[in-house]
């Protein structure tokens, strides 16, 4: 686990490039502004986003609210009879803006009183990292299963 909410890894798949793109496309729904959320194990392999000619940009459809869940970008490369998928996970841009604003408030309170400022920073860090890495690990396992990782 990194100390920042950013995760990059590669998957070598038994599937050819076109088959790998078709495999992820079978699990991706079109992005919607509002989704009905209900906790269910059927959500484990459901994503919203888009699949393009050379990659994908997706987020997992969650049955609960997690603002710190990662946005996943993938590039699918041809590797002979296999494919190589390079995946990058990072927080949503709005979350990063929220964190910058919250950090500014914490640093301002640090000037007034050290202990509450430090506690505020630690709370923000734990909140972001916990929410991000919980989902990142689930998504990585799901993507390895979808792409039939070697």
């Amino acid at each position: 686990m990194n100390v920042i909410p950013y995760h990059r890894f590669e998957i070598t798949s038994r599937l050819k490039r076109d088959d790998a793109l078709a495999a992820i496309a079978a699990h991706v729904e079109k992005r919607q502004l509002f989704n009905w959320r209900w906790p269910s194990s059927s959500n484990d392999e459901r994503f919203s986003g888009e699949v393009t000619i050379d990659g994908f940009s997706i987020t997992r459809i969650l049955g609960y609210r997690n603002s710190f869940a990662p946005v996943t970008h993938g590039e699918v490369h041809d590797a002979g009879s296999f494919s190589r998928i390079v995946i990058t996970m990072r927080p949503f841009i709005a979350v990063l803006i929220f964190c910058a604003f919250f950090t500014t408030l914490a640093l301002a309170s640090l000037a007034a009183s050290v202990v509450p400022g430090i506690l505020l920073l630690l709370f923000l860090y734990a909140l972001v990292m916990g929410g991000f890495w919980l989902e990142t690990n689930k998504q990585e396992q799901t993507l390895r299963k979808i792409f039939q990782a070697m």
Side-chain angles (χ1 to χ4, degrees):
M1 181 166 83
N2 293 338
V3 295
I4 60 171
Y6 180 84
H7 185 48
R8 184 180 173 98
F9 63 99
E10 289 186 14
I11 296 174
T12 302
S13 173
R14 292 183 172 92
L15 303 173
K16 291 187 180 237
R17 183 179 176 278
D18 294 335
D19 295 334
L21 286 168
I24 192 66
H27 295 274
V28 175
E29 301 173 8
K30 197 170 186 101
R31 273 191 221 274
Q32 296 177 356
L33 188 56
F34 297 103
N35 284 333
W36 179 257
R37 299 176 188 273
W38 191 259
S40 170
S41 61
S42 66
N43 288 341
D44 288 349
E45 294 184 4
R46 290 179 54 213
F47 295 90
S48 70
E50 61 183 3
V51 178
T52 61
I53 293 172
D54 55 353
F56 54 91
S57 177
I58 57 175
T59 55
R60 195 163 78 92
I61 296 174
L62 305 173
Y64 55 92
R65 187 71 189 141
N66 183 351
S67 298
F68 304 106
V71 175
T72 305
H73 297 280
E75 297 173 5
V76 182
H77 302 283
D78 198 12
S81 61
F82 302 111
S83 59
R84 186 175 57 91
I85 301 110
V86 179
I87 298 174
T88 304
M89 296 182 183
R90 60 161 181 77
F92 186 59
I93 296 295
V95 170
L96 295 175
I97 293 169
F98 165 78
C99 289
F101 175 74
F102 204 78
T103 301
T104 304
L105 288 176
L107 291 174
S109 71
L110 226 137
S113 180
V114 176
V115 174
I118 290 174
L119 290 176
L120 207 53
L121 284 172
L122 288 175
F123 174 73
L124 174 65
Y125 184 74
L127 192 67
V128 171
M129 296 302 284
F132 180 82
W133 286 107
L134 175 77
E135 270 307 310
T136 300
N137 292 332
K138 288 179 185 178
Q139 282 189 30
E140 182 174 350
Q141 295 303 320
T142 301
L143 290 171
R144 287 184 184 281
K145 181 179 170 188
I146 290 171
F147 288 122
Q148 301 174 14
M150 296 172 54

